[in-house]
Amino acid sequence: WFDKDGNSRYEPIIRAPLIIVRLFFNDRIKAEQVELAWKTDKWHTKIVNSSIVGSARKIVELRELGLPATSNNAADIIEFLDAFVSLNRDILPCEKTTNFIGWQGKDGFLIGEEPHGNCDVAFFSDNKGEMQFVDSFGKKGTFEEWKNVIEKVRHFPAIMGALYAALGTPLLKILNINGFTYELAGRTSRGKTTGLRIAVSVWGNPNENSSEGDDDKTQDSLIHSWSGTRVFFERTASLLNGIPLFV
């Protein structure tokens, strides 16, 4: 700011360096996000909807992540971030985001955070649960170890059917056919849960107990409980395009 004599003056508004490092744009829903970076004991980053950096009330919510924003300095932070984007929009990296995973266009495929083919987008949601769900897709162990397990169950048709259903889901788009449901039903202790875990292992963590906080687990399970609400299943299914939903 400038004093009455026209001299520039500097006044700290936040007790940490704060910048915007990247811009994101979801062309499908016409929404912009920004990646904030700030330093306390170390650098922290967080991708948020642009509405967060345009609202003094919402920017304070990032305090729980370590951003030293308060009701006293929130308005100044918002004004600074607005000026930062205006002055640097032409040089800030701008990337694409999507609100679903799986097929992206004709020849791009997004599995969790891992792009395949002609895929230049990253998944983003302002819903913490959806971000955690997408993070559950990924690899652990080796392909050889996985094949050794499959070899032990290859003579069980129902289990192999579940495995083929999980593997074949991306082909529905290519073959232009409708989706389907594959159900493992029967008396208890007949291998239904094992078959489900085998199928889930194609895409991510097959341990339905992982979300309970086991020390050796780094991802939540992709297996959902039947106790979920209709809205939950509809919302979760909308995140998947050519990827199966496991219950």
Side-chain angles (χ1 to χ4, degrees), residues 3-244:
D3 61 21
K4 61 181 181 179
D5 298 322
N7 300 312
S8 60
R9 292 288 186 267
Y10 298 92
E11 180 178 337
I13 61 173
I14 186 171
R15 297 191 312 273
L18 172 65
I19 58 174
I20 293 175
V21 294
R22 283 189 295 176
L23 303 177
F24 298 88
F25 188 75
N26 187 322
D27 189 61
R28 183 167 179 260
I29 61 175
K30 307 301 181 185
E32 184 180 66
Q33 300 88 35
V34 302
E35 183 176 15
L36 294 174
W38 66 92
K39 186 177 182 180
T40 52
D41 57 326
K42 61 179 181 179
W43 279 101
H44 306 266
T45 60
K46 176 67 176 178
I47 300 174
V48 299
N49 282 323
S50 58
S51 60
I52 298 292
V53 297
S55 167
R57 178 180 59 83
K58 293 180 179 179
I59 197 72
V60 175
E61 296 175 2
L62 297 181
R63 186 174 179 83
E64 65 183 27
L65 301 178
L67 180 68
T70 69
S71 58
N72 293 327
N73 65 359
D76 290 330
I77 292 174
I78 294 302
E79 185 176 356
F80 163 74
L81 292 175
D82 180 65
F84 187 96
V85 172
S86 297
L87 292 172
N88 297 285
R89 181 174 290 276
D90 292 341
I91 60 175
L92 282 171
C94 186
E95 302 180 16
K96 299 177 182 178
T97 60
T98 179
N99 56 341
F100 61 89
I101 59 174
W103 284 109
Q104 307 292 327
K106 293 182 178 180
D107 52 3
F109 204 90
L110 185 64
I111 304 177
E113 297 181 352
E114 185 176 344
H116 298 268
N118 185 22
C119 181
D120 59 352
V121 300
F123 177 82
F124 173 77
S125 171
D126 58 1
N127 183 295
K128 184 177 179 180
E130 292 179 357
M131 293 296 292
Q132 290 176 334
F133 170 64
V134 170
D135 286 342
S136 299
F137 290 84
K139 295 177 288 188
K140 188 174 183 180
T142 69
F143 185 44
E144 290 301 321
E145 290 173 327
W146 183 82
K147 288 194 297 182
N148 290 337
V149 173
I150 301 304
E151 178 64 24
K152 296 177 181 179
V153 300
R154 68 184 182 91
H155 297 296
F156 296 90
I159 293 180
M160 294 306 293
L163 176 65
Y164 295 145
L167 286 168
T169 306
L171 299 178
L172 299 178
K173 174 183 174 69
I174 298 174
L175 300 175
N176 194 28
I177 57 178
N178 294 327
F180 61 90
T181 298
Y182 186 91
E183 180 181 13
L184 290 170
R187 298 191 303 274
T188 185
S189 301
R190 303 290 289 182
K192 300 186 298 296
T193 301
T194 298
L196 178 60
R197 289 171 176 167
I198 292 292
V200 173
S201 72
V202 170
W203 295 98
N205 185 2
N207 187 342
E208 69 275 17
N209 297 316
S210 295
S211 59
E212 296 180 358
D214 294 348
D215 292 338
D216 62 338
K217 304 298 186 296
T218 58
Q219 300 168 313
D220 287 344
S221 175
L222 289 178
I223 300 177
H224 299 289
S225 169
W226 281 104
S227 63
T229 65
R230 177 179 177 180
V231 172
F232 167 80
F233 286 117
E234 290 178 347
R235 191 177 180 99
T236 304
S238 71
L239 302 177
L240 307 172
N241 186 21
I243 294 178

